[in-house]
Amino acid sequence: MFALYGYDLPVTGLFDARTHAVVTAFQRHFRQARVDGVADASTITTLRDLIAALPAA
């Protein structure tokens, strides 16, 4: 979902250091209440809502 939103993150199926860095950056920007690099339910919900609000391609 991060790649769908525009983050340069290859889909590997692994939660590696690069994924952790992207999640942390996303949280710093969109969800400052808890920046821990964990793709928890709140992070995923925020990301899902942002993707849904994107204009149709």
Side-chain angles (χ1 to χ4, degrees):
M1 286 179 26
F2 288 101
L4 285 174
Y5 193 66
Y7 284 91
D8 182 22
L9 184 65
V11 178
T12 64
L14 300 174
F15 196 92
D16 56 11
R18 188 170 179 180
T19 306
H20 186 270
V22 166
V23 173
T24 300
F26 178 86
Q27 290 171 334
R28 280 191 188 120
H29 188 79
F30 293 106
R31 199 202 67 179
Q32 299 86 20
R34 185 173 181 189
V35 178
D36 59 5
V38 176
D40 60 4
S42 174
T43 301
I44 298 303
T45 298
T46 302
L47 179 57
R48 185 194 64 218
D49 292 347
L50 288 167
I51 291 170
L54 290 174

